[in-house]
Amino acid sequence: MTILGDLLRDSARHWGVTLRAARWVFWLPVLATVIVLALRVNQDVFRWLLEEDGPVEWLSVLAFLGAGIVAIRIAVQRAGANHTWQAQLFAGVAFIMVFSAGEEISWAQRLFGWETPAEL
């Protein structure tokens, strides 16, 4: 096996995840970086990806929500193990992640019609 394969297998074992998950965690950011760099050649597609309510923004929302869900699960697990301060810490992280997801999709503007003041 290759050195990278051995490192991924060791990391998966160390972190208690499957080798498949370790590969996704490693290769997904690499792939995303290559795609974004390639798209710099075509400015129209690049702008479309990064525009307001575009694919990158919605992927950010999904990432924030995913992190929030994971943080909630960890908080519950830590509370069950009587590690109160760790449970509170992860509950705080979960709140911040869910709030960040809402902020990313401008929830206050969409729900309440609030707009950014002209001065800003």
Side-chain angles (χ1 to χ4, degrees):
M1 194 87 208
T2 65
I3 294 173
L4 179 59
D6 292 340
L7 288 171
L8 286 174
R9 190 173 19 270
D10 291 344
S11 294
R13 193 174 317 116
H14 175 78
W15 287 100
V17 298
T18 65
L19 180 57
R20 181 183 215 172
R23 286 180 180 145
W24 273 102
V25 168
F26 178 81
W27 286 110
L28 197 58
V30 172
L31 179 63
T33 301
V34 169
I35 289 170
V36 169
L37 289 175
L39 288 172
R40 285 293 290 159
V41 174
N42 186 331
Q43 292 294 316
D44 293 332
V45 175
F46 187 73
R47 282 190 199 97
W48 173 77
L49 280 174
L50 297 178
E51 72 184 3
E52 187 74 21
D53 284 337
V56 169
E57 184 170 354
W58 282 100
L59 286 172
S60 298
V61 169
L62 293 175
F64 283 133
L65 287 176
I69 291 167
V70 170
I72 289 168
R73 292 184 65 194
I74 293 171
V76 169
Q77 188 266 337
R78 295 285 72 199
N82 287 330
H83 291 101
T84 307
W85 73 270
Q86 292 174 354
Q88 291 170 344
L89 175 70
F90 279 99
V93 168
F95 174 79
I96 290 168
M97 291 296 102
V98 171
F99 181 83
S100 296
E103 180 58 29
E104 186 69 15
I105 60 170
S106 306
W107 62 272
Q109 290 175 349
R110 294 174 198 257
L111 291 178
F112 305 117
W114 296 346
E115 294 295 329
T116 304
E119 297 82 27
L120 295 178

